[in-house]
Amino acid sequence: MTTTPTRTPPPARHRPPAAPPPDPARLRAAVEEYARAFRATALAMDEPGADPRTLNPVVHDAYFPVLLGLPPAYNPDPLIVDGRPCHLHTCVERVVVYERLAWGDAALMVAAPGPSLSGVLTEELGDDDQKERYYSTLAARPTWTFFALTEPHAGSDATALTTALAEAGTPGSYRLSGVKKYIGNSVRADLGVVFARIKPGPVGVVAVLVEPTRPGFTATALPTTGMRAIGLGEVRLDDVPVARSDILGMHLSATRRGIVGAMRTFNRARPVVAAMALGIAQAAWDYAATHRRALRADESYAMEGLRRRLAGTRRLVLAAAEQADRDPGDGTVASAAKYRAAELALETAEYALGLFGPGARLEHPLLDKLHRDARAFEFMEGTGTMQRLNLALGHRKGRILDD
């Protein structure tokens, strides 16, 4: 009788269990000193022309590089929570931290150095050399970055972009031309990403890594009523030289880069924007609760209603962050969180102002700033109309929350 020899299976490889995510309450407590440092300079940062690079020492000292959200290989000094390093590399971690920092000053949160949206996109589309170039720059010194998608006549509609990336005379070289508007940190940035059209059609949009020091790159500051610290600007690109190695995602299929990368980036960013709006709402509520303790019955009822909505929105924002970490291709919950938090921030700040009477803006300048800053979240990472369209599309596709 012939027997078939048996093969001894190789030993199973056991991966060490992933470290559990830090408890949100402990993570929030770990950044409390930074949030209060942000609050200490909030009004000074609101003055026209104020520069976060010189005004707030937290930006250069404690804030950098602890909270930049760099990958572990590039961040030797991460935030420590419960004795373990926390690199803020997940959306869940970011929404917890950014809400509290925005409570201190949302404008400074956006104006601080770090990866911002360009880092999310580089992580999504960049090859190994591009990631090394990007993150090593940020790890070396405080580096401001920008994300240039919006155009004067097309808004953030990537399908309608007119900024062009055209081939130059030398193989592998290009020229970048066009205008971008409402670009945060563009007037002080050291590195960023510009979206441009390299050919017609839905897959003809690409993202390009660009340093503002290149010839033909000009950024002009735009005046703003709120969020004055963010360095909002208009960027003009006049035949800016670009190499093939600057174009993100060239190692990927055309369907995975460009517009697809932008949408996945927005889906990851919207829960974070929602968290910052929530931070403003919480700051306005806390201010009213602290400085207007004698409330009428109707005012007390309204404040309690806002408190409950803050708690509910916080759960929605966390659910959106969890969804973004699982599947950044589905932005339904992210749109719901961003839409609700932006509305709640403005409504809470308006109600808080109303509690202090006609002279509230003059007598309570911090509350005035919170109200002006809250209006910005309607426009950051897509207007409310766009979020409602995303929700309608998600409903048609059957994307709903489990609970």
Side-chain angles (χ1 to χ4, degrees):
M1 180 177 177
T2 304
T3 60
T4 302
T6 59
R7 298 178 59 188
T8 303
R13 294 183 178 180
H14 296 287
R15 293 183 178 179
D23 177 74
R26 294 182 179 274
L27 182 55
R28 193 177 298 111
V31 298
E32 184 64 24
E33 64 177 298
Y34 308 120
R36 295 194 178 277
F38 276 32
R39 172 64 61 85
T41 60
L43 291 178
M45 282 304 310
D46 196 46
E47 293 296 322
D51 191 337
R53 292 174 296 186
T54 59
L55 185 59
N56 194 318
V58 176
V59 169
H60 280 286
D61 298 332
Y63 188 83
F64 176 83
V66 172
L67 301 176
L68 289 186
L70 297 179
Y74 299 92
N75 191 351
D77 187 21
L79 188 68
I80 302 298
V81 183
D82 289 340
R84 294 195 301 268
C86 178
H87 293 274
L88 303 184
H89 214 48
T90 70
C91 195
V92 168
E93 292 167 344
R94 286 172 180 163
V95 299
V96 174
V97 168
Y98 286 15
E99 180 197 336
R100 195 57 188 167
L101 294 179
W103 176 91
D105 185 5
L108 184 56
M109 178 69 251
V110 179
S116 68
L117 283 181
S118 65
V120 178
L121 187 70
T122 302
E123 186 69 23
E124 181 75 32
L125 299 181
D127 59 29
D128 290 342
D129 289 341
Q130 289 167 336
K131 292 177 183 178
E132 167 64 22
R133 167 184 162 192
Y134 182 89
Y135 288 122
S136 62
T137 300
L138 270 68
R141 65 185 189 281
T143 302
W144 278 259
T145 62
F146 67 90
F147 183 90
L149 173 61
T150 304
E151 295 186 353
H153 303 293
S156 57
D157 181 3
T159 62
L161 292 184
T162 59
T163 298
L165 184 66
E167 291 187 354
T170 306
S173 63
Y174 302 82
R175 289 291 183 269
L176 184 64
S177 300
V179 179
K180 301 293 184 178
K181 201 165 187 178
Y182 312 119
I183 309 303
N185 284 324
S186 57
V187 297
R188 64 175 70 98
D190 307 289
L191 180 64
V193 170
V194 175
F195 281 84
R197 183 169 294 283
I198 196 170
K199 62 182 179 180
V203 297
V205 174
V206 294
V208 185
L209 278 174
V210 177
E211 294 86 4
T213 54
R214 297 188 189 187
F217 187 106
T218 305
T220 305
L222 298 172
T224 59
T225 301
M227 302 286 281
R228 289 172 174 162
I230 66 175
L232 204 67
E234 179 181 85
V235 174
R236 292 190 172 271
L237 307 156
D238 185 13
D239 286 338
V240 176
V242 171
R244 181 180 174 85
S245 58
D246 297 322
I247 304 175
L248 294 173
M250 293 300 282
H251 62 299
L252 305 173
S253 66
T255 57
R256 289 185 57 193
R257 59 179 181 257
I259 294 176
V260 173
M263 292 304 100
R264 290 171 67 90
T265 298
F266 281 136
N267 292 341
R268 287 178 175 175
R270 282 173 182 146
V272 178
V273 172
M276 289 192 290
L278 186 61
I280 283 185
Q282 187 67 62
W285 193 95
D286 290 347
Y287 189 94
T290 300
H291 294 84
R292 175 70 193 280
R293 296 185 179 182
L295 299 174
R296 299 192 308 263
D298 61 319
E299 294 170 339
S300 180
Y301 180 82
M303 285 288 285
E304 175 61 18
L306 288 171
R307 187 193 67 79
R308 291 177 180 272
R309 289 174 60 191
L310 283 165
T313 302
R314 187 169 291 109
R315 289 194 293 270
L316 176 60
V317 170
L318 185 59
E322 292 170 346
Q323 173 64 29
D325 284 334
R326 288 194 303 269
D327 178 15
D330 180 3
T332 306
V333 187
S335 286
K338 195 269 179 180
Y339 176 72
R340 178 180 287 185
E343 282 202 328
L344 183 59
L346 185 56
E347 184 177 340
T348 305
E350 284 183 343
Y351 187 79
L353 273 172
L355 288 176
F356 294 96
R361 291 189 181 276
L362 297 176
E363 296 169 4
H364 301 273
L366 179 61
L367 199 52
D368 172 54
K369 169 181 161 56
L370 291 171
H371 181 256
R372 287 184 285 105
D373 287 355
R375 291 188 176 276
F377 290 93
E378 161 65 15
F379 305 99
M380 294 172 66
E381 320 316 338
T383 64
T385 299
M386 182 181 295
Q387 308 311 324
R388 291 194 295 271
L389 289 172
N390 287 343
L391 287 170
L393 181 61
H395 175 70
R396 291 186 61 183
K397 292 184 176 181
R399 294 170 175 171
I400 58 174
L401 286 170
D402 294 332
D403 297 321

